[in-house]
């Protein structure tokens, strides 16, 4: 690549004069000029085409040259160059007016860093390249100022070929070179560009971009790629005239001396300077911190020796830090501007957009490249950063509480690693995302189907409820909880399994079920069939005989006849025959698919495939139809007597001993002979086969016909450990439903059917694979789907085949699915089946009460769910407590009070009565309702704090009011007014004390109610003119009234009456 020297603009005017003369009088351009024509006139003639008026005087030529010079691109930065160079551009513009508006493949570069070639025609007029293009170490930034970036396709924001010079070691091995190219290819794709090439000799990395922002390597990418560390350290010293190259290449130091390159943002591949700028904008700090931040930038400006180019966010932060204000910046949360919760049905994430509280900051929503991690980095848990959430608040130096909400709702302020959504990386956007817990009940259109909810959850749980249960009462304080455990016997296991199979078959009839879901459902059917085969028992001659011994396939005929009595000697053959039939049914579809994919000429290969599925009748018929009678005779004896296998094996050995040329025998025929001889590895040499068919070949053709099933399973397990057998991968990998075969690791997870075989083989001894066996991945590719595996575990425990107390994940998984679907009563049913643990005796009770409180909104209005919970023995007090909390939260305080009283939470009921209910009822004149509520709590006033200053006041009010209204008193008239006055005085004292005790907890309406009570009692007391009452008694009543909490106008009125009474008493005297 040519590298012309940079051309400064000083002195350009003189060169233009010379260039103009050379061009105008040269013969190479094919232009004829008269000898008498002056150069100025020819220049004016050329500038006509640039819309410069021809009437201008020759003396204005300097102004024309100045305008021409200003239209040329500017590039003063040391070490930068452009192609064509400035001199060449000037020549071509004078020669062809408008050339600078259509420069072909315009290139800008920096020595030792790289270059950018803008493809096609580019308008370079009036461009300040110093401000637009900046090269750094392994990166290039075009239009770093987002506010000045034109639309895509305009200016330099267009397609271009970028070449970056990477600092790699001179000696790179071939394997390392391949890794570097793959990592560069991945990095290029992640940035939305197209990889072109990498040249290890000069370190040039080329790629194609469609528009510009920042492109290059992050710190994590540089660590992954083989870099020359020595060169990287000394590289900043290579700049001309000792200038510091770029701000992102300088050593960034905090005021306290901490190196920012080792901070958290830099460690995660982010720009520490941008992070600090955004922190200043989004989270304003105190004035002292502002001064420090401002001083840091001033110090950086002085050290660079030139003007620092800032982005709009940088300018905004600088203005904020230098703002002369004595007030301290607020640190209150930002107000909500927009809230989009998303659609629960479609699992679409929602967003909350927060408004900035500092309106003076011109914050722009621009495309940014931050908040991204290298997808190649690994975490200890997921072993990959992909799909992890990067929390934006973390990089702002502030915390945002990210957490899980009900039904799998995740609230966070970050973005998923590898996401291309530019809006999701803004720290002012709060994302609400929903985990697909209910994926199993969604159809092909991702819609929840009621039929699927019924068949996946309701029907299996109803069937489980019909199984006989034993209960265990657990005392939880004053309550009792009935934990349940299903109990069954192996005689009933076949019927139970057939019932579950019927539920799944009805689900398969739903037309909206996806194809992948159908494969999983068929596998569940086969699992239930296998449970029935391996763990069921049969009753013979009045005795229950567990078919635990292993048996011959020929007994299937006796089983089909439905004989009530079976020879005891035949019992060891029944289970083996049933398992053999199960294997044939499991692999039948695979065999048929592979046979149908072959052409008719592949007779022997078809026979071999039929043998792998033990379809002997079809194999014999096919061989006979092709005229191969001898092979048909051999096939008819396949898997039979071991004598026949020995004869075939001996014949093959004789052929090898005698030097028979096997090239004259078809390869598939030899494979068939090897299989008939019991050599399954020789028959499958070079071929791949699924694990179930391999297990069948092992049992049918290699081992003896009377071999027990545990021995068959242990033999397969040993071959698996020796890497001589295919791994029993889960059905979704075996059938190719998901792209997980590449990431699947040996021993990570196996198929549930294989674990059931091991459980049968180890029955009677300790089985340590329970957690792996009953993980969701053993039967489905949905890691959150436990709806059927929970029932399989429960049935196996019910018949005594398996027992475990550490499978709470399985229980919690199903509970989460049920709660997500609003089936709270069934979720509690599952919790009651969690095994009791002495270390956590209150686990079930705590869990049930949390479910009732958190999901009260979904179950309180459904009478069936409430009745179902009561039938399960859930204390009604827990139900009322949950509803009290819910209605209190919803603002329905009267209903909440009723439920608090019903659950005997007297203190809560009393507080709610005083602060939210009583005053509204009193002002509505619902005195009978107040009396009912207060008296219902009176029997438990010893448990209530401040009863006499709370609900007791209302009871005292009604009693005193009733006493003052009575016309006939039992007490003598002389003591009547005095006793009433004393009672009223005590009541007013309680009112005043109550106002002090309750304080701010009482709303204004409650104080109004107190005032109304005091006013009414005052009026009744002063209106009592009993005979025999003295002036002293009446004055004493006024003293009592003045202590009542009544408004000042009422108090003034009573004072006037007291003065009038006093005046009368003086006159009477």
């Amino acid at each position: 690549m040519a590298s012309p020297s940079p051309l400064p603009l000083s002195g350009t005017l003189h060169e233009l004069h010379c260039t103009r003369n050379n061009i105008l009088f040269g013969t190479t351009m094919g232009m004829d000029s008269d000898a008498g024509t002056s150069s100025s006139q020819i220049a004016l003639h050329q500038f006509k085409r640039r819309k410069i008026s021809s009437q201008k005087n020759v003396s204005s030529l300097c102004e024309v040259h100045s305008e021409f010079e200003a239209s040329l691109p500017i590039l003063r930065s040391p070490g930068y160059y452009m192609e064509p160079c400035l001199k060449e551009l000037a020549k071509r513009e004078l020669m062809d007016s408008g050339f600078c508006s259509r420069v072909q493949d315009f290139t800008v570069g920096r020595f030792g860093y790289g270059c950018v070639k803008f493809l096609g025609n580019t308008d370079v007029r009036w461009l300040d390249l110093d401000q637009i293009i900046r090269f750094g170490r392994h990166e290039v930034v075009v239009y770093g100022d987002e506010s000045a970036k034109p639309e895509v396709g305009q200016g330099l924001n267009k397609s271009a070929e970028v070449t970056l010079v990477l600092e790699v070691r001179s000696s790179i091995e071939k394997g390392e070179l391949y890794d570097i190219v793959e990592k560069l290819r991945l990095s290029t794709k992640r940035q939305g560009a197209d990889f072109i090439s990498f040249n290890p000799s000069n370190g040039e990395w080329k790629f194609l971009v469609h528009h510009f922002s920042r492109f290059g390597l992050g710190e994590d990418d540089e660590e992954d790629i083989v870099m020359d560390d020595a060169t990287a350290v000394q590289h900043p010293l290579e700049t001309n005239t000792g200038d510091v190259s770029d701000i992102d290449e300088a050593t960034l130091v905090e005021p306290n001396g901490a190196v920012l390159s080792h901070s958290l943002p830099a460690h995660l591949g982010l720009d520490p300077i941008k992070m600090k700028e955004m922190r200043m904008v989004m989270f304003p700090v105190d004035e002292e911190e502002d001064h420090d931040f401002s001083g840091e930038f001033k110090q950086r400006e002085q050290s660079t020796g030139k003007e620092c180019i800032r982005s709009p966010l940088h300018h905004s932060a600088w203005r904020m830090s230098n703002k002369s204000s004595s007030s301290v910046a607020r640190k209150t949360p930002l107000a909500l501007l927009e809230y989009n919760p998303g659609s629960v049905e479609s699992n679409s994430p929602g967003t909350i957009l927060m408004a900035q509280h500092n309106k003076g900051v011109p914050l722009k929503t621009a495309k940014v490249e931050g908040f991204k991690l290298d997808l190649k980095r690994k975490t200890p848990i997921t072993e990959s950063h992909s799909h992890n959430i990067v929390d934006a608040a973390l990089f702002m130096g502030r915390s945002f509480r990210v957490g899980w909400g009900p039904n799998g709702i995740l609230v966070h302020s970050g973005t998923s690693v590898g996401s291309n959504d530019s809006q999701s990386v803004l720290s002012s956007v709060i994302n609400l995302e929903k985990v697909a817990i209910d994926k199993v009940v969604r159809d092909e259109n991702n819609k929840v189907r009621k039929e699927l909810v019924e068949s996946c959850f309701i029907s299996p749980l109803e069937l489980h409820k019909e199984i006989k249960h034993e209960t265990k009462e657990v005392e939880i304080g004053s309550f009792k909880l009935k934990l349940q455990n299903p109990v069954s016997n192996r005689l009933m296991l076949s019927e139970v399994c057939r019932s579950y199979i019927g539920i799944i078959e009805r689900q398969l009839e739903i037309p909206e079920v996806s194809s992948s879901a159908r494969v999983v459902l068929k596998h569940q059917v086969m699992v239930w069939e296998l449970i029935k085969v391996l763990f069921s028992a049969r009753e013979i001659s009045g005795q229950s005989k567990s078919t635990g011994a292993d048996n011959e396939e020929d007994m299937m005929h006796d089983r089909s006849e439905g004989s009530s009595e079976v020879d005891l000697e035949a019992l060891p053959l029944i289970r083996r025959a049933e398992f053999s039939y199960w294997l044939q049914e499991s692999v039948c579809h695979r065999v048929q698919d592979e046979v149908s994919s072959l052409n008719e000429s592949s007779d022997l290969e078809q026979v071999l495939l039929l043998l792998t599925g033990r379809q002997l009748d079809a194999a014999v018929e096919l061989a006979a139809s092709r005229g191969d009678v001898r092979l048909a005779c051999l096939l008819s004896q396949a898997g039979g007597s071991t004598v026949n296998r020995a004869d075939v094996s001996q014949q093959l050995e004789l052929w090898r001993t005698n030097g028979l040329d096997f090239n004259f025998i078809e390869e598939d025929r030899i494979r068939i002979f090897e299989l008939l001889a019991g050599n399954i590895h020789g028959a499958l040499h070079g071929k791949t086969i699924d694990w179930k068919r391999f297990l069948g070949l092992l049992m049918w053709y290699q081992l003896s016909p009377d071999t027990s099933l545990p021995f068959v399973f242990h033999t397969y397990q040993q071959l698996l450990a020796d890497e001589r057998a295919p791994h029993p991968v889960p059905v979704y990998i075996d059938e190719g439903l998901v792209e997980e075969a590449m990431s699947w690791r040996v021993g990570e997870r196996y198929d549930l059917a294989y674990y059931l075989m091991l459980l049968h083989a180890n029955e009677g001894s300790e089985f340590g694979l329970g957690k792996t066996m009953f993980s969701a991945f053993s039967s489905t590719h949905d890691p959150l789907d436990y709806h059927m595996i929970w029932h399989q575990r429960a049935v196996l425990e019910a018949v005594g085949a398996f027992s475990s107390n550490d499978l709470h994940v399985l229980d919690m998984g199903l509970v989460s699915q049920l709660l997500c679907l609003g089936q709270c009563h069934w979720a509690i049913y599952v919790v009651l089946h969690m095994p009791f643990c002495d270390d956590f005796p209150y686990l079930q009770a705590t869990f049930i009460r949390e479910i009732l409180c958190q999901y009260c909104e979904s179950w309180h209005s459904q009478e069936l769910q409430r009745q179902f919970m009561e039938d399960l023995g859930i204390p009604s007090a827990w139900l009322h407590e949950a509803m009290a909390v819910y209605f209190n939260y919803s603002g329905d305080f009267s209903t909440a009070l009723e439920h608090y009283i019903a659950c005997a939470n007297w203190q809560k009921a009393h507080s709610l009565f005083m602060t939210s209910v009583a005053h509204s009822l009193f002002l509505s004149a619902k005195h009978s309702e107040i009396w009912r509520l207060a008296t219902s709590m009176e029997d438990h006033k010893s448990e209530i704090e401040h009863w006499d200053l709370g609900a007791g006041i209302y009871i005292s009010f009604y009693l005193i009011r009733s006493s003052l209204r009575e016309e006939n008193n039992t007490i003598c008239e002389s003591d009547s007014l005095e006793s009433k006055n004393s009672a009223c005085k005590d009541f007013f004292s309680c009112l005043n004390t109550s106002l002090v005790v309750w304080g701010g907890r009482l709303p204004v309406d409650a104080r109004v109610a107190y005032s109304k009570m005091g006013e009414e009692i005052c009026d009744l007391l002063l209106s009592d003119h009993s005979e025999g009452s003295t002036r002293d008694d009446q004055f004493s009543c006024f003293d009592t009234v003045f202590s009542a909490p009544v408004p000042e106008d009422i108090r003034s009125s009573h004072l006037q009456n007291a003065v009038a009474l006093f005046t009368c008493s003086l006159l009477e005297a």
Side-chain angles (χ1 to χ4, degrees):
M1 179 182 294
S3 301
S5 300
L7 180 63
L9 289 181
S10 59
T12 304
L13 187 59
H14 172 71
E15 295 184 14
L16 290 180
H17 281 289
C18 300
T19 302
R20 183 195 65 244
N21 293 332
N22 292 336
I23 294 174
L24 295 179
F25 294 103
T27 58
T28 58
M29 302 305 293
M31 297 175 61
D32 297 331
S33 303
D34 296 336
T37 306
S38 67
S39 60
S40 298
Q41 291 174 343
I42 296 175
L44 287 174
H45 177 68
Q46 292 294 330
F47 281 116
K48 268 184 194 177
R49 299 171 59 184
R50 297 173 62 86
K51 298 182 180 180
I52 300 177
S53 176
S54 61
Q55 286 81 18
K56 284 188 177 181
N57 194 286
V58 178
S59 61
S60 64
L61 183 60
C62 292
E63 298 179 2
V64 175
H65 286 165
S66 298
E67 181 182 353
F68 173 76
E69 180 182 359
S71 66
L72 294 176
I74 301 175
L75 185 60
R76 296 191 181 96
S77 299
Y80 284 79
Y81 65 88
M82 62 181 172
E83 292 181 353
C85 64
L86 189 60
K87 184 176 181 179
E88 182 67 21
L89 287 175
K91 288 181 181 180
R92 301 295 297 273
E93 179 67 23
L94 289 173
M95 183 178 62
D96 182 10
S97 179
F99 173 80
C100 290
S101 65
R102 56 180 186 278
V103 179
Q104 183 71 22
D105 294 341
F106 181 65
T107 303
V108 179
R110 181 181 181 185
F111 295 109
Y113 288 82
C115 64
V116 179
K117 181 170 72 174
F118 299 94
L119 304 179
N121 293 332
T122 304
D123 187 355
V124 300
R125 296 173 299 174
W126 318 102
L127 292 181
D128 187 353
L129 299 178
D130 293 323
Q131 300 288 337
I132 297 175
I133 302 179
R134 302 298 296 172
F135 282 91
R137 172 181 161 87
H138 305 153
E139 70 170 4
V140 60
V141 180
V142 181
Y143 292 112
D145 186 352
E146 292 286 340
S147 62
K149 181 188 293 187
E151 297 293 332
V152 176
Q154 303 294 326
L156 299 185
N157 190 19
K158 55 182 296 187
S159 299
E161 179 184 297
V162 179
T163 302
L164 295 179
V165 179
L166 305 183
E167 298 161 355
V168 296
R169 293 200 302 265
S170 57
S171 59
I172 301 177
E173 297 180 359
K174 185 176 180 179
E176 291 179 335
L177 176 60
Y178 177 78
D179 292 339
I180 291 176
V181 172
E182 289 301 317
K183 291 174 181 177
L184 290 176
R185 193 186 303 276
L186 178 62
S187 178
T188 305
K189 182 178 179 181
R190 188 167 62 247
Q191 298 178 71
D194 300 325
F195 178 82
I196 297 178
S197 65
F198 172 69
N199 188 350
S201 60
N202 54 14
E204 288 188 354
W205 168 31
K206 292 185 178 182
F207 53 90
L208 180 66
V209 301
H210 304 288
H211 59 85
F212 268 103
S213 56
R214 176 200 175 276
F215 290 94
L217 295 179
E219 290 189 4
D220 293 336
D221 294 324
E222 292 179 351
E223 293 176 1
D224 292 338
I225 298 176
V226 184
M227 292 293 172
D228 188 353
D229 297 333
T231 307
V233 173
Q234 297 181 3
H235 187 76
L237 301 178
E238 298 174 1
T239 56
N240 298 332
T241 67
D243 293 337
V244 178
S245 57
D246 286 326
I247 191 171
D248 55 355
E249 292 176 331
T251 303
L252 303 176
V253 183
E254 287 273 27
N256 57 5
V259 180
L260 280 178
S261 61
H262 298 291
S263 64
L264 179 61
H267 176 70
L268 297 176
L270 303 175
D271 186 355
I273 297 301
K274 290 183 179 179
M275 293 301 100
K276 194 150 191 175
E277 293 169 4
M278 296 185 69
R279 172 182 173 179
M280 292 299 300
V281 174
M282 299 301 301
F283 302 95
V285 294
D286 294 337
E287 188 174 356
E288 296 180 0
E289 297 176 82
D290 291 343
H291 289 314
D292 294 339
F293 187 79
S294 176
E296 176 188 355
F297 276 94
K298 291 179 180 179
Q299 180 181 1
R300 188 181 299 115
E301 290 178 15
Q302 295 173 0
S303 63
T304 57
K306 60 181 179 180
E307 183 179 359
C308 179
I309 302 173
R310 295 187 177 91
S311 64
L313 285 178
H314 193 132
H315 284 295
S316 301
W318 186 83
R319 285 197 301 268
M320 289 176 60
S321 63
N322 289 276
K323 184 177 180 181
S324 57
S325 176
S326 58
S327 61
V328 179
R330 295 178 59 193
K331 295 185 178 180
T332 56
L334 299 180
L336 288 180
L337 181 64
E338 182 180 350
Y339 170 56
N340 297 318
S343 174
V344 176
E345 291 293 326
S346 61
N347 285 335
S348 61
T351 58
I352 303 176
L353 182 60
M354 295 192 297
Q356 59 186 69
H357 60 269
N358 193 332
K359 300 300 181 181
V361 180
L363 186 61
K364 296 180 179 295
T365 305
K367 289 195 285 186
V368 291
E369 293 293 333
F371 309 138
K372 292 185 178 180
L373 294 180
D374 183 9
L375 299 181
K376 288 295 186 181
R377 295 289 295 275
K378 294 183 178 181
T379 62
I381 300 176
T382 65
E383 298 189 354
S384 174
H385 276 338
S386 181
H387 306 302
N388 288 348
I389 298 297
V390 181
D391 189 0
L394 171 66
F395 304 107
M396 299 299 104
R398 298 292 190 270
S399 63
F400 172 79
R401 183 162 183 173
V402 181
W404 290 95
N407 299 334
I409 300 295
L410 173 64
V411 183
H412 64 90
S413 61
T415 177
S416 178
V417 176
S419 173
N420 294 324
D421 186 3
S422 61
Q423 184 186 16
S424 62
V425 302
L426 298 177
S427 60
S428 60
V429 175
I430 307 303
N431 298 286
L432 278 71
E433 299 188 37
K434 187 175 186 298
V435 178
I437 301 178
D438 56 352
K439 185 178 179 180
V440 68
V441 296
R442 294 183 179 271
D443 57 16
E444 294 179 330
N445 299 322
N446 201 31
K447 299 294 184 182
V448 176
R449 302 279 302 184
K450 292 184 178 180
E451 300 92 332
L452 292 176
V453 175
E454 179 70 25
S455 59
C456 290
F457 294 96
I458 308 303
S459 297
L461 287 170
E462 289 177 347
L463 175 60
H464 183 274
K465 191 172 184 294
E466 294 176 0
I467 300 176
K468 181 181 178 181
H469 283 70
E470 62 179 12
T471 60
K472 176 182 179 180
E473 286 191 353
V474 179
E475 292 186 0
I476 311 296
S478 59
F479 305 104
K480 290 184 178 181
L481 197 64
K482 295 181 179 179
L483 303 184
Q484 302 186 23
N485 183 35
V487 178
S488 183
N489 57 63
R490 302 201 178 192
L491 293 174
M492 301 296 297
L493 181 58
S494 296
E495 182 180 351
V496 172
C497 292
R498 281 194 294 267
S499 300
Y500 278 109
I501 291 173
I503 294 174
I504 300 174
E505 289 176 346
R506 288 193 295 272
Q507 185 176 349
L508 285 169
E509 297 175 358
I510 301 176
E512 291 79 7
V513 177
S514 62
S515 57
S516 60
R518 291 182 182 277
V519 175
V520 175
L521 289 174
K522 292 177 181 178
H523 178 260
Q524 291 176 356
V525 171
M526 298 308 299
V527 169
W528 282 112
E529 290 284 358
L530 183 60
I531 293 176
K532 180 179 66 174
V533 168
L534 296 180
F535 302 100
S536 64
R538 67 177 60 248
E539 186 175 355
I540 301 176
S541 301
Q543 295 181 350
S544 174
K545 299 293 183 179
S546 174
T547 57
D550 305 279
N551 319 305
E552 180 54 45
E553 192 173 345
D554 296 336
M555 296 308 301
M556 288 297 298
H557 177 70
D558 295 336
R559 178 177 180 270
S560 63
E561 290 180 353
S563 175
S564 59
E565 293 188 5
V566 179
D567 189 358
L568 293 178
E569 296 181 358
L571 285 176
L573 306 176
I574 295 178
R575 195 182 303 278
R576 178 187 172 97
E578 291 178 343
F579 180 76
S580 177
Y581 180 77
W582 178 87
L583 268 182
Q584 294 180 44
E585 290 295 320
S586 298
V587 303
C588 179
H589 69 285
R590 300 287 292 269
V591 174
Q592 294 300 328
D593 291 342
E594 294 184 14
V595 170
S596 61
S597 64
L598 300 176
N599 53 46
E600 296 182 358
S601 61
S602 305
D603 298 337
L604 295 176
E605 190 174 356
Q606 293 183 30
V607 170
L608 182 62
L609 288 174
L610 292 173
L611 290 177
T612 60
R614 195 161 177 78
Q615 300 183 19
L616 298 182
D617 293 342
V620 171
E621 183 179 353
L622 178 60
S625 65
R626 297 298 189 265
D628 201 339
V629 180
R630 295 180 180 178
L631 180 61
C633 292
L634 288 176
L635 294 176
S636 64
Q637 304 176 58
S641 173
T642 56
V643 177
N644 295 336
R645 304 180 191 177
D647 291 341
V648 177
S649 177
Q650 185 178 3
Q651 182 63 58
L652 290 173
E653 187 63 29
L654 286 174
W655 285 348
R656 294 187 180 94
T657 303
N658 296 331
L660 178 66
D661 190 355
F662 284 92
N663 292 328
F664 292 97
I665 305 178
E666 301 95 325
E667 181 183 357
D668 290 328
R669 187 179 296 274
I670 297 297
R671 291 181 184 275
I672 294 174
F673 289 160
E674 294 285 0
L675 184 60
L676 296 178
N679 183 12
I680 60 175
H681 290 92
L684 298 176
H685 181 69
K687 284 184 173 291
T688 58
I689 194 174
D690 60 274
W691 73 276
K692 290 181 182 177
R693 280 192 286 176
F694 183 88
L695 178 61
L697 295 180
L698 179 66
M699 184 179 70
W700 295 323
Y701 303 112
Q702 179 169 316
L703 299 178
S704 173
D706 58 351
T707 304
S708 65
L709 281 182
F711 185 83
V712 173
F713 299 151
H714 285 310
T715 303
Y716 173 77
Q717 188 179 18
Q718 184 61 44
L719 292 174
L720 185 64
D722 297 338
E723 295 294 333
R724 299 181 60 200
H727 293 277
V729 296
V731 62
Y732 52 88
I733 296 179
D734 194 24
E735 298 287 347
L737 301 182
V738 293
E739 298 294 334
E740 293 193 14
M742 297 300 294
S743 61
W744 182 82
R745 295 180 301 178
V746 175
E748 184 178 25
R749 52 182 180 268
Y750 289 142
D751 192 83
L752 177 60
Y754 172 69
Y755 290 116
L756 289 172
M757 298 174 193
L758 293 183
L759 179 62
H760 171 72
N762 294 275
E763 195 168 2
S765 59
E766 185 177 356
F767 185 70
L769 299 175
K771 288 186 177 181
T772 309
M773 174 181 180
F774 291 108
S775 67
F777 281 122
S778 64
S779 59
T780 175
H781 55 86
D782 185 358
L784 302 177
D785 182 18
Y786 294 90
H787 81 280
M788 190 54 68
I789 200 171
W790 184 85
H791 291 275
Q792 293 159 354
R793 189 279 303 265
V795 170
L796 289 174
E797 287 186 338
V799 299
F802 175 80
S803 178
S804 177
N805 292 329
D806 57 354
L807 293 179
H808 294 305
V809 173
L810 183 58
D811 300 311
M812 298 296 292
L814 180 58
V815 168
S816 299
Q817 289 183 278
L818 291 169
L819 293 176
C820 182
L821 297 172
Q823 304 295 326
C824 300
H825 56 309
W826 284 116
I828 293 176
Y829 175 81
V830 173
V831 173
L832 290 175
H833 286 77
M834 294 173 62
F836 180 79
C837 182
D838 293 331
D839 295 335
F840 304 98
Y842 304 118
L843 176 64
Q844 293 84 354
T846 303
F847 195 12
I848 290 174
R849 297 179 78 167
E850 288 183 358
I851 291 176
L852 292 174
C853 289
Q854 292 184 17
Y855 296 88
C856 182
E857 183 179 5
S858 62
W859 63 261
H860 81 277
S861 59
Q862 301 186 27
E863 186 62 31
L864 291 178
Q865 289 200 21
R866 294 178 57 181
Q867 186 61 44
F868 187 91
M869 295 176 188
E870 293 178 0
D871 294 341
L872 291 177
I874 305 301
S876 59
W878 294 1
L879 302 178
H880 288 293
E881 180 186 31
M883 287 187 284
V885 173
Y886 170 72
F887 285 112
N888 188 22
Y889 173 80
S890 302
D892 190 351
F893 301 115
S894 298
T895 307
L897 176 59
E898 296 286 356
H899 288 293
Y900 274 128
I901 293 176
C903 69
N905 193 334
W906 306 112
Q907 185 60 46
K908 282 277 189 180
H910 182 254
S911 298
L912 188 63
F913 175 81
M914 289 300 300
T915 58
S916 303
V917 177
H919 58 268
S920 60
L921 293 176
F922 187 89
L923 297 178
S924 301
K926 297 180 180 180
H927 302 293
S928 60
E929 184 68 12
I930 296 177
W931 179 263
R932 182 185 68 83
L933 293 173
T935 53
S936 64
M937 294 184 286
E938 188 176 12
D939 294 338
H940 305 275
K941 61 182 180 181
S942 60
E943 305 175 30
I944 301 175
E945 184 182 11
H946 303 307
W947 166 261
D948 294 334
L949 303 178
I953 287 181
Y954 287 90
I955 295 179
S956 300
F957 166 74
Y958 291 119
L959 292 177
I960 293 174
R961 187 181 67 170
S962 176
S963 175
L964 292 176
R965 287 178 175 178
E966 286 181 358
E967 295 181 359
N968 300 321
N969 291 313
T970 57
I971 58 177
C972 58
E973 293 294 337
S974 59
D975 298 334
S976 174
L977 186 59
E978 181 180 358
S979 61
K980 293 178 182 179
N981 182 38
S982 177
C984 292
K985 187 174 183 179
D986 293 340
F987 176 72
F988 293 150
S989 177
C990 289
L991 279 181
N992 293 321
T993 306
S994 177
L995 289 172
V996 174
V997 170
W998 290 95
R1001 289 181 290 173
L1002 289 179
V1004 176
D1005 289 347
R1007 298 177 181 273
V1008 173
Y1010 273 31
S1011 176
K1012 292 290 185 181
M1013 285 191 288
E1015 183 179 350
E1016 185 173 356
I1017 295 299
C1018 288
D1019 293 342
L1020 290 175
L1021 179 62
L1022 295 178
S1023 63
D1024 191 346
H1025 300 290
S1026 301
E1027 295 183 1
S1029 61
T1030 64
R1031 293 293 183 186
D1032 293 337
D1033 294 336
Q1034 293 178 358
F1035 286 136
S1036 178
C1037 289
F1038 276 108
D1039 289 338
T1040 301
V1041 167
F1042 292 151
S1043 65
V1046 294
E1048 290 300 326
D1049 57 339
I1050 303 297
R1051 194 186 309 274
S1052 299
S1053 176
H1054 292 322
L1055 180 59
Q1056 292 177 2
N1057 295 333
V1059 171
L1061 180 63
F1062 181 73
T1063 303
C1064 292
S1065 63
L1066 291 178
L1067 294 177
E1068 291 176 357

